[in-house]
Amino acid sequence: MSFLPKPKLHHPKLPVNELGFTRRDYEGAISTLCAGCGHDSISAAIIQACWELSIAPHRVAKMSGIGCSSKTPDYFLGASHGFNSVHGRMPSVLTGANLANRDLLYLGVSGDGDSASIGFGQFAHSIRRAVNMTYIVENNGVYGLTKGQFSATSDKGSKAKKGAVNTDEAIDLIGIALQLGATYVARSFSGDKAQLVPLIKGALRHPGPAFIDCISPCVAFNNHEGSTKSYDFVREHNEAMNQLDVILGRTPITTDYAPGEVREVTQHDGSVLRLRKLHEDYDPTDRVAAMNHLHERKAAGEIVTGLLYVDPEPQDMHANLGTVDRPLNALEDAALVPGAVALERINAALR
């Protein structure tokens, strides 16, 4: 069975958020992925983040393509909007939906095959167009649905389950996102919920293209000795850059940390990202330094996680295009077809 509904009954005293919803209200169907799959941990983190932020489920539009990762939107936010596109084309569908209705929160969930192979161009253009979205790649470095071939994010020199060695260079989606202008860039690990949940919360509150590369071990085909995407390897080579908390504008901010230990980044919507710095000289607002640091730590055999870059003054696609504040799908015919006089004015401006 590919769809297993969860029972509606739950304990009457479960905690509720500001909207009166329990965490169960943000769940979806029962997962049919392999037991222990890192993707299920990411789904749980998305559920926790949306519940803690008190996001109304109907305000979220979740999009996906094809692959194990693209099945996961069925397992969270069952009351939200959803669309499962063809392989690698999720970013285009999300972009079109965002243009039509800017009032929704857009959550794109993809995999390393879906985004780094057939959908690589789609991924790149959605980032450079500054689509206001949270784009999560559940990165396991393997094609799980087709039985374990290397993917485009498999590290050079890593071994497959049957012993084959990958001789191709890996595509680093974090580096691509930084280069093409993503204004919120992070990497995390599905096995580190304490880090992942705040990163997702920050991405959902960020008014611009937010990208999270989440290493998610495939327990069936890529969780063995020699894999660089396994649970053991990531835990042994994880270098956490910072610890992230999201403080909403409506919540009083109090702290008893000494000066210099906390970096606050205020976003346009009033929310604040609080970074507990582990490295005194790391600046999360310096795009070039973030790219250089990634290359340096990769050469040292380390996987950098945490909030790698954030633009405190981002602009999204609607700001760049100068669209109206009202969603385009809510405009009447008179606004969409203003008439011959308006058309002549536009033509005259282009002569």
Side-chain angles (χ1 to χ4, degrees), residues 150 155-161 163-166 221-230 232-233:
F150 292 119
D155 293 311
K156 187 175 183 178
S158 61
K159 291 184 179 180
K161 188 174 183 179
V165 177
N166 181 34
F221 298 108
N222 210 14
N223 193 38
H224 51 273
E225 187 176 351
S227 167
T228 59
K229 297 285 194 295
S230 67
D232 288 343
F233 185 90

Side-chain angles (χ1 to χ4, degrees), residues 33 88 123 187 209 232 239 258 279 325:
L33 297 175
F123 162 75
R187 176 181 284 139
D232 288 343
E239 183 195 2
H279 300 280
D325 292 336

Side-chain angles (χ1 to χ4, degrees), residues 82-101:
F83 192 90
N84 182 229
S85 73
V86 296
H87 202 8
R89 270 55 181 179
M90 178 273 288
S92 290
V93 176
L94 189 153
T95 300
N98 184 285
L99 280 169
N101 188 354

Side-chain angles (χ1 to χ4, degrees), residues 10 26 31 37 42 92 111 123 131 151 165 167-168 171 198 202-203 216 222 224 230 241 266 290 306 311 318 327:
H10 58 76
Y26 292 84
S31 173
C37 178
I42 299 174
S92 290
F123 162 75
V131 181
S151 81
V165 177
T167 58
D168 297 331
I171 291 177
S216 179
N222 210 14
H224 51 273
S230 67
M241 292 304 304
T266 304
D311 185 343
H318 286 278

Side-chain angles (χ1 to χ4, degrees), residues 18 28 45 138 143 159 163 188-189 216 225 228 245 254 258 288 299 322 330:
E18 293 182 1
E138 300 179 345
Y143 293 136
K159 291 184 179 180
S188 193
F189 173 47
S216 179
E225 187 176 351
T228 59
D245 291 327
T254 59
V288 175

Side-chain angles (χ1 to χ4, degrees), residues 8 11 13 20 22 61-62 85 88-89 116 122 130 160 172 195 207-208 238 269 307 343:
K8 299 294 184 181
H11 195 281
K13 293 186 178 180
T22 69
K62 52 185 182 179
S85 73
R89 270 55 181 179
Q122 301 266 322
D172 182 7
Q195 182 191 63
N238 183 6
D269 61 1
L307 181 61
L343 179 60

Side-chain angles (χ1 to χ4, degrees), residues 69-85:
S69 58
S70 293
K71 293 174 60 179
T72 63
D74 195 31
Y75 310 143
F76 59 82
L77 297 178
S80 67
H81 306 278
F83 192 90
N84 182 229
S85 73

